[in-house]
Amino acid sequence: MTNVTPTILSTVSSQFVDDWLAALRALCPEAQMASLLSRSGLNADTRAPNGRVTLDQIVCLYQLAAVETGDVMMGLWSRPVRPRALQHLLTTVREATSLSSALYRFSTFWNLLLDDYQFDLDDTDSALTLSLNPQTDAPVQRFGHMLILKLAHGLMSWLSGHEVPVKAVDFAFDRPDFNQDYAIIFPAPFQFGQPATAISFSPNALGPVQARSTSDLDRFLQNAPRDWIFTSSREHTQSLRVRTYLGQTGWDAATLTQTASAMHMTPRTLIRRLQADGNSFQAIKDALRRDIAIRDLQAGRKSVEAIAHDVGFSSAANFHRAFQRWTGSTPSSYRRMQT
C-alpha cells in the first residue's frame, strides 16, 4: 500500500451536505441546480443515503455555486453575501498584528453582514472563543455553521502559515447520524446540543502573524475551500491515528493486533479507545478501503480487479459486494456515473 494522507482521501456522507443542497435549491431554478450537481460530479448515487462525497466534489460545487448564485455563502444565511466580500474580509484580517486581533476583525466583519446571527469573541487566559449567537428563531443551518467556523479557522491558519490547533468546537444542534464526519473537518474534540456554535483556541498555541501578499490573498480565494475545509491533523482522535497507520502499512499488517502493537497498547485498550470515538477497527479499515477505491474509480486509470487487489480483497467479487454495501453502488456503476 502506498503512503496515504488520510484526511485528504477522506470522504463525508451525503447527509453532511444535505443542508447545503437544500439552501442551493432555494436559490436555483431546477435546471441550474441539476447542472451544478452534474458538473460537480454529485450524481444520484453520490446523493443516496449511504453515498459518499469527496473533497474535490465539495470544492467544485462551492466554486461553481458561489459564482453562479451571486452569493458566496450560497443561501446558507438569510442575507446574501455578495461577490468580493471574502476578498474584503481577507484584506481586513491580513492587517491584524496578532491572531486574536484577526479573529476580532473576522467577527466584526461578519456582524456587519449577518442578520440572523452575531459573533461574540471571548478572550480569557485559558481560551479564545468565537461564538455564533442566534438573533432569530430560525432553524439551525448545520452546513452553514460548519462552514463559517472553518473559514475562521482557515483564515487563522493562513495568517500563521500552518494549521492552527483548535481547543474545542461546539455545535448548537443535536448530534446527527453523520457526526463522525466532523472529525475530518475539525482537528479538535467537538460537542453537540450546546447553547451556541463556537470554536475555541488555546492562547499559548497561537503563534505570530506572517505577512501575506496580494498574491497570497488571491491564491487563498482561488483555492477556497480546498486548502482549509478538511483538516490535515491526524492526531486529534484515536480513529484518525489508526487510519493513518493503516494508510502507511500493507494490508497484511492491517490487523487489530498489529495495529495495537504499533501504537504501544493492547488490542482491548485500542478497542475501548475507538469505542470512545464512536468507532471500531473494522469500520475504520473499511472506510479507508472505500475512500481509496472511490479515488481510484474516479481517476479511471485502474481496472476494478486491480483496485480490489490494492485495497486488500482476495477477489473482485468480494470487493464488489463490499463496495455496494459501503456506497449503495457497484464499482462499475459508480465509475460510469463519474464519466
Side-chain angles (χ1 to χ4, degrees):
M1 192 189 314
T2 57
N3 190 337
V4 169
T5 304
T7 51
I8 300 303
L9 256 182
S10 295
T11 62
V12 294
S13 64
S14 60
Q15 293 97 320
F16 185 79
V17 300
D18 276 351
D19 285 4
W20 182 21
L21 298 186
L24 274 175
R25 287 190 181 94
L27 287 182
C28 301
E30 186 175 344
Q32 183 186 21
M33 187 69 189
S35 175
L36 286 170
L37 294 175
S38 175
R39 285 178 286 157
S40 304
L42 289 166
N43 53 61
D45 281 357
T46 305
R47 305 194 308 276
N50 54 350
R52 307 298 301 180
V53 180
T54 67
L55 173 62
D56 284 344
Q57 290 167 331
I58 289 173
V59 170
C60 185
L61 181 58
Y62 177 98
Q63 293 181 347
L64 290 171
V67 172
E68 294 184 20
T69 63
D71 177 358
V72 296
M73 281 292 170
M74 303 156 293
L76 295 170
W77 307 102
S78 61
R79 180 193 293 187
V81 180
R82 297 305 181 191
R84 301 183 67 85
L86 294 187
Q87 182 176 1
H88 289 299
L89 173 61
L90 264 69
T91 301
T92 298
V93 301
R94 74 169 177 169
E95 300 300 324
T97 56
S98 67
L99 291 180
S100 59
S101 173
L103 204 56
Y104 175 76
R105 290 174 181 232
F106 178 94
S107 67
T108 57
F109 180 90
W110 282 108
N111 285 346
L112 292 172
L113 296 183
L114 298 181
D115 293 328
D116 34 358
Y117 285 88
Q118 290 283 280
F119 275 114
D120 288 327
L121 186 63
D122 187 23
D123 191 354
T124 68
D125 291 341
S126 60
L128 178 66
T129 302
L130 182 70
S131 301
L132 186 62
N133 296 295
Q135 305 299 299
T136 70
D137 294 329
V140 172
Q141 225 292 351
R142 294 175 299 192
F143 194 90
H145 281 218
M146 177 281 298
L147 187 65
I148 205 162
L149 289 194
K150 278 305 298 186
L151 178 58
H153 182 222
L155 283 172
M156 297 270 283
S157 300
W158 178 66
L159 287 171
S160 66
H162 62 86
E163 185 172 16
V164 170
V166 178
K167 184 175 183 179
V169 176
D170 291 341
F171 291 111
F173 50 85
D174 293 338
R175 179 183 299 272
D177 292 339
F178 52 88
N179 65 87
Q180 284 296 321
D181 290 339
Y182 290 92
I184 297 167
I185 306 297
F186 292 100
F190 44 87
Q191 299 183 90
F192 299 94
Q194 300 303 300
T197 290
I199 187 167
S200 298
F201 305 90
S202 296
N204 58 9
L206 300 180
V209 170
Q210 294 191 5
R212 288 297 183 184
S213 66
T214 300
S215 61
D216 292 333
L217 185 153
D218 291 341
R219 189 159 46 250
F220 183 97
L221 293 171
Q222 182 178 1
N223 291 343
R226 180 179 299 281
D227 294 342
W228 46 267
I229 193 165
F230 280 20
T231 177
S232 62
S233 170
R234 307 163 198 172
E235 296 299 318
H236 58 290
T237 70
Q238 186 67 57
S239 297
L240 287 179
R241 288 192 288 273
V242 168
R243 183 178 167 113
T244 299
Y245 169 78
L246 295 178
Q248 295 172 340
T249 191
W251 292 116
D252 56 343
T255 65
L256 174 64
T257 300
Q258 290 187 252
T259 303
S261 176
M263 297 185 171
H264 310 291
M265 63 183 75
T266 65
R268 181 171 294 182
T269 298
L270 179 56
I271 290 171
R272 187 172 63 251
R273 292 187 180 178
L274 292 176
Q275 287 174 338
D277 282 349
N279 219 329
S280 71
F281 180 80
Q282 190 61 49
I284 295 167
K285 185 175 178 179
D286 285 345
L288 179 60
R289 287 168 148 178
R290 176 201 65 213
D291 291 345
I292 293 172
I294 285 174
R295 177 199 63 185
D296 290 345
L297 287 167
Q298 288 181 337
R301 291 187 292 269
K302 296 181 180 179
S303 68
V304 171
E305 291 72 19
I307 295 172
H309 179 267
D310 287 349
V311 296
F313 283 88
S314 58
S315 72
N318 289 339
F319 171 62
H320 272 256
R321 286 191 290 272
F323 192 83
Q324 188 158 19
R325 184 175 70 251
W326 297 333
T327 68
S329 302
T330 66
S332 298
S333 65
Y334 188 92
R335 170 171 278 169
R336 285 194 298 272
M337 284 289 192
Q338 305 305 309
T339 59

